[in-house]
Every structure is written in structure tokens, then in C-alpha cells.
Amino acid sequence: MGQTSAVYITGCGAYLPGAPVGNDEIAAHLGGTDPATTRRRARVLAANGIRQRHYATGTGASNEELAAEAVGRAVKDAGLAMDEIGMLATGTTMGDQLVPGFAAMVHGRVGGGPMELLSAGGVCASGLAALKSAAAAVALGEHARAAVVGSELVSRVLAEPRFAAGGRPTADAEFLRWTLSDGAGAVVLSAAPRADRPSLRVEWVRSVSYAHERPACMRAGEGWLDAPSAAAAEAAGLLRLRQDVAALPALVRLGVAQARELVDLATIDHALIHWSAETFRNRIFAEIPDLSEISFSNLATCGNTGAASIFVMLEEAWRTQRFQPGERILLAVPESGRFTMAFALLTCVAPNQLLSELATVWSEFEARLAQVPIVRRIEDGTATVQDYRALLLHLRQQVVEGGRWISRAASNFSAERFELRSAAILHAAEEHRDFLLLERDHAATGGTGIRDARKNAGSEALSAFILQQASQPDPVDLLGAMFVIEGLGTAKALGWARMLQDRLGLGDGQVSFLRYHGEHDAEHVGELHKLLAVTRPGDVDGIVRTARITARLYALQLEEIG
């Protein structure tokens, strides 16, 4: 880990369960058809402006399933696989169970590999709290990519008879009943912008609580631990959501004041604001009239999905291409739980030309690798132990040279390119002994004589080319070589290790080199993307050319194995 770097939203996903439920259909899902309830429902719906919403009741889905579906869609939208995600951060008001944490349950649903987890508690602002933590982890270089999800399944506590438990609900509780609904929204964070389309750079995320001066406005479960049983708690209505609606205007005033303190609203091009009802939107616009021209909300068509709402809004705005490069987007979530204000500022950035061209190089490289005999045998499950030993033997010669060319490159960077020099020094220190892992794997599978083997033609050409490039003044072009070599570790090494283990019955100690690079090169790629972000326009052609040559020579190295 080193200096913080930029963080980008590169994928969005949302999931609203079941068919849309119109205002005339609510009672069929939640109950409450008596005349008094019908009148209260009509008043609430007139105030909140919601025309349709979604409920998971009847679908059999759990909250974690809603969240997992949204995460899966966001990861797919980002063009990634789940095992490329290093952290999962979740926000929800009420999970499906008290223990374990909500993030762990969602991770169990989405799969992928080992990852860091964070479960943010609270109410509506918990989604942005999760975003803040995940963005910080990516910015610090702890993960190259993270997924963030806000999810709610509140309908289960709004339906009869649970909602009516403990006596006749108050008018404030009825407000929540006809306002809240189910859904999930997610985003993927990356250390680099997308190469193929715009991304959203996260400028900052801020959250502030006023609980030191404000009583709880929204609550559920008060006193449930003292009940003799869960059934008694439910019968007493202790799990019913309650809200002090009269306190909400103060929430609006605090939110407006906090927004003005954080950002010059005249510089904002889009405002996505989580308001629970149209009446509060009108109060906000009365305070800041200019927001009416730039605000976007899908409350009327998607309902109030609590912690998911801000991401559900963002997903629709992203999908419908509302944002253009250079525009600034303010996300705002005033939470009524005990008066928490959460905000985020995003900037839409254009596709990265360098990454776009490198992505083309990578596609060409993958297509070439697919035709290499040793790669085909590994990936179709026909590789032998002899094949694996041959792979290690031929790779070793290039791996030994890796520390040399990185060190040489470090010595040739000038003071003006100090970021690249520092990164090269650190990288050389981290990887100069990697060949020892490879040698141990070779010996562990019965191989001998690896240190006496000569470089094959591809290895000779690859080493000579990269060392020649590293010897140039300010060898920025070597970022192209690193893109290919580190990318190969991230994209292929772990998969190859697992395939070889499954096919040949090898233990972890026999594939440690491949597993190490598969598990750690994602962090190296994250660092590489930070370096690509500080390159100059004049660097692009050289980096891409070096990447293309490195890819061709690396493939030749593997072709020589036979």
C-alpha cells in the first residue's frame, strides 16, 4: 500500500423483485382493506407520489438473495467475474438474521473467491456508508476492485398480521407501510476507469450524524430482547417499524445545510437525492430551487427501497446514459433513523484511450494463447505432470530475468518520473525471488535440472527485448510489458493452478508459484493502473507497442514448450 489513488464506479446493477405493484394492488400484498386503513393509505400515497413499487412477498426470496442478484448484475455490467472482486460491502436496515453479518450471507450467495467483507448497519444511509469503506480500501491499494450493495426486504414486516401485532398501528407507522418497498442496488468500484465507456470517479463520500442532539426518529425492535420469546415480541408489536413523521422537516433542513457546506451546488450537473416522499422533494426545492432543474429520482416507479434507493437511482441514470464526461453528480441520502446525512460526489470521466488500446492488445493475446498447445492441454484437462514440469522449466528462465529488468528500469527513470521509479524499486524488491517458488514446485513434482536449463527461443527474445527497453532513459514503455505479464497472472495463473490440481491431483505446495501470482497479481494490477493514470499523452504509443511485442514474445515462449 502507498499513496491513495482515484477510485471509479465501473459497473451498476439493480434488482426489484416480482412484478410492479400499482397503488390499487397494494392491499392484495400487504393486507389492510378496512375503510379506515383504506383512507389512511390514500392520504399517504397522495403525499409520497409513488405510483408503483416491488415486493418480494410471494416470491420466496430473502434479502440476501436480492442483494446477491444486484451484485451479480453490477459485476456483469463491469465486465468482470465474481472471483475478480476483492471486497464486498453491504448496507441494509434489517438482514435476514442477526448472526452472521449480512455481508457474509451475501458472499455465500454470490460466491467468487476469498474477499474482505463489511456489513454497514443503519437505515437508508448504510448504502453510502458501505460505499465509503469500499472506496477507501480500493484507494489505499488494498483491493483492485470491490462491490457495494444496498438492499432491503421490508415487506415482511409490513404485511398483516405482523404489522397489526400489538394493537392498532399509529398514523406514523401507516406512513412507512405505504411508502417502503423491496429492492437492491449495487455498484462495482475499480482502481482504473473503463476503457470502453465512461466511468464515474468517486471524488469523496461524507457522512455525519446528529444523534448527539436529535432523538431517534425511526425505530424497530425496542425492548424485544426483554421479551420472553420471539413470538411474544412479535405479538406485542415490538418488531414493527415506527417513525416520527413530524420530525422529518427538520431532517430536510439539516440535509440542505450540510449539502451547502460540502459542495458549491452551482457546480453540480446532476443531483440524485433519496427522498421518501414527494412532499419532502418539494421542501428541498423550496430551499434550493436550482436543484429542480438537475435532479433525478425514480421514486415514483421504483418506490422507496431505503439503503438500496440511491444505487437503484444511480443504476437507472447510468443505464440510460444521463451522464456525460466532465459532469459532476451529487448523491444525497438524508436518513431519518437518528438524523444521519450521507453524500457522495462523482465525476463522469471519458473512456481511457490507453486502456482501450491495451484492452485490444489483451484480446489479441488471449486469442493467440488459446491456440498454444500447452495452454490448450491445461484448459481442456489433458495436461500431464510432464507438461506441467515443462511449463515451469521454461518459465523459470524468464522469471529470473524479471528482477533484472525491473531493477534496470528503476535506475533509468529520471527525477521527473519519480512515481514510476519508486514503483519499479518496490516491485523489484517484491518479485526478485519468485523463481524460488517455481523451482520448489518443479522439484515437488519430480523435476530435476531446472537450474541448468537454457532459455528457449521465445524466452531469449522476450528477455532481450525487455532488457533493451529497460535500458532506455525513462523507460515508461515497460508499463506495456507489465500490463501483459501481470495481467496473465491475474487472468490465468489461478485458473491454471486449479485445473492442474483437479486433473493431476496436485497439492497447493506443488502449484505455489501459479497460486501466488493468481492471488496477488490483482493487487499488482491495481498498482499498475495507478501508474497508467499518471502517464502522459506522448507515452501512449510506446506503451501499447511494447505491450503488443511482449504479448507476441510471451506467446512464442509458451509455443516453444510444444
Side-chain angles (χ1 to χ4, degrees):
M1 293 184 294
Q3 294 180 330
T4 59
S5 65
V7 180
Y8 302 86
I9 292 175
T10 56
C12 293
Y15 179 59
L16 300 172
V21 177
N23 289 348
D24 294 334
E25 305 168 292
I26 296 180
H29 287 262
L30 301 184
T33 57
D34 60 279
T37 301
T38 300
R39 288 193 297 272
R40 288 195 296 271
R41 181 171 67 247
R43 287 197 297 270
V44 171
L45 293 174
N48 67 30
I50 300 172
R51 299 193 301 273
Q52 65 180 40
R53 75 286 293 147
H54 293 253
Y55 296 125
T57 50
T59 68
S62 63
N63 195 6
E64 69 197 49
E65 288 177 290
L66 305 187
E69 182 66 29
V71 169
R73 295 183 181 192
V75 170
K76 181 179 180 180
D77 183 56
L80 301 171
M82 197 62 65
D83 59 8
E84 296 178 89
I85 301 299
M87 179 179 181
L88 172 65
T90 65
T92 190
T93 304
M94 291 184 288
D96 301 301
Q97 53 200 44
L98 295 178
V99 177
F102 188 62
M105 299 306 295
V106 177
H107 183 202
R109 292 277 181 182
V110 300
M115 61 180 71
E116 180 180 354
L117 300 177
L118 179 129
S119 301
V123 195
C124 305
S126 62
L128 285 189
L131 178 69
K132 182 180 180 72
S133 294
V138 174
L140 288 172
E142 295 175 357
H143 304 289
R145 304 174 190 90
V148 182
V149 62
S151 183
E152 302 286 12
L153 202 169
V154 69
S155 60
R156 56 191 167 193
V157 299
L158 299 179
E160 302 279 6
R162 177 176 291 180
F163 184 77
R168 179 178 175 179
T170 64
D172 289 352
E174 290 279 7
F175 171 81
L176 291 176
R177 188 183 191 190
W178 311 121
T179 298
L180 301 178
S181 55
D182 304 334
V187 297
V188 169
L189 302 178
S190 301
R194 293 185 67 119
D196 56 341
R197 70 185 194 194
S199 303
L200 302 175
R201 186 173 63 236
V202 180
E203 305 294 354
W204 47 255
V205 185
R206 302 283 189 273
S207 178
V208 59
S209 165
Y210 290 89
H212 66 296
E213 63 182 33
R214 299 280 175 171
C217 176
M218 182 178 179
R219 66 178 73 211
E222 186 176 26
W224 74 273
L225 282 173
D226 298 322
S229 67
E234 185 166 335
L238 299 181
L239 300 181
R240 187 194 307 145
L241 282 170
R242 298 169 172 82
Q243 185 172 53
D244 180 4
V245 177
L248 294 180
L251 182 72
V252 173
R253 291 192 296 272
L254 283 172
V256 168
Q258 189 68 28
R260 284 176 166 154
E261 182 178 326
L262 287 172
V263 64
D264 179 359
L265 295 173
T267 67
I268 300 301
D269 300 289
H270 302 273
L272 277 58
I273 307 172
H274 167 66
W275 48 64
S276 59
E278 295 284 351
T279 52
F280 301 116
R281 178 201 66 176
N282 297 336
R283 290 176 183 269
I284 293 171
F285 289 170
E287 295 275 352
I288 313 175
D290 291 345
L291 283 184
S292 63
E293 300 297 320
I294 62 172
S295 69
F296 169 74
S297 171
N298 53 15
L299 175 72
T301 55
C302 296
N304 179 352
T305 53
S309 287
I310 196 67
F311 297 135
V312 171
M313 272 188 274
L314 185 61
E315 185 277 336
E316 182 174 334
W318 166 277
R319 174 168 40 83
T320 56
Q321 301 179 354
R322 296 180 69 90
F323 311 136
Q324 298 301 315
E327 292 183 334
R328 285 156 53 97
I329 303 103
L330 179 67
L331 309 181
V333 180
E335 175 186 295
S336 61
R338 192 157 179 175
F339 285 76
T340 296
M341 312 296 154
F343 300 87
L345 183 66
L346 314 175
T347 300
C348 184
V349 298
N352 186 295
Q353 177 195 352
L354 175 55
L355 290 180
S356 179
E357 295 193 33
L358 288 175
T360 300
V361 171
W362 182 259
S363 296
E364 295 168 352
F365 182 43
E366 281 196 309
R368 184 174 287 121
L369 282 179
Q371 303 305 313
V372 174
I374 185 67
V375 173
R376 282 211 311 266
R377 293 196 295 274
I378 291 172
E379 296 187 344
D380 67 16
T382 61
T384 65
V385 172
Q386 290 76 16
D387 285 327
Y388 176 49
R389 283 202 297 261
L391 174 67
L392 295 175
L393 185 145
H394 287 267
L395 285 179
R396 177 193 179 273
Q397 317 312 322
Q398 173 252 310
V399 172
V400 169
E401 297 290 338
R404 290 181 59 206
W405 66 258
I406 297 171
S407 298
R408 184 173 298 185
S411 68
N412 284 310
F413 279 115
S414 64
E416 287 72 24
R417 309 306 291 263
F418 70 91
E419 306 102 322
L420 300 175
R421 181 175 62 189
S422 298
I425 292 170
L426 290 172
H427 196 60
E430 288 177 355
E431 299 207 345
H432 76 286
R433 300 180 66 186
D434 280 7
F435 71 93
L436 296 175
L437 281 176
L438 191 151
E439 290 179 356
R440 285 197 292 269
D441 290 346
H442 187 261
T445 55
T448 59
I450 191 170
R451 294 190 177 186
D452 300 324
R454 299 178 62 180
K455 292 195 285 279
N456 69 38
S459 297
E460 288 279 14
L462 180 60
S463 295
F465 170 70
I466 296 182
L467 281 169
Q468 189 272 336
Q469 294 299 102
S471 302
Q472 305 303 309
D474 283 330
V476 182
D477 295 1
L478 283 181
L479 293 176
M482 293 177 63
F483 175 83
V484 172
I485 296 171
E486 299 291 348
L488 188 65
T490 301
K492 297 292 186 180
L494 190 57
W496 287 354
R498 290 170 175 166
M499 292 172 193
L500 289 165
Q501 287 186 277
D502 291 343
R503 166 67 178 171
L504 304 175
L506 302 176
D508 288 352
Q510 294 172 298
V511 292
S512 59
F513 174 79
L514 290 176
R515 291 189 69 89
Y516 171 81
H517 282 278
E519 293 167 356
H520 292 85
D521 280 359
E523 182 178 339
H524 297 159
V525 169
E527 294 295 326
L528 174 61
H529 281 300
K530 295 179 187 178
L531 300 177
L532 293 173
V534 300
T535 56
R536 302 166 184 173
D539 298 330
V540 172
D541 289 344
I543 293 172
V544 173
R545 176 180 178 275
T546 296
R548 183 165 278 114
I549 294 173
T550 300
R552 182 65 189 93
L553 295 178
Y554 205 109
L556 176 60
Q557 174 183 238
L558 296 177
E559 289 166 6
E560 287 288 305
I561 299 173

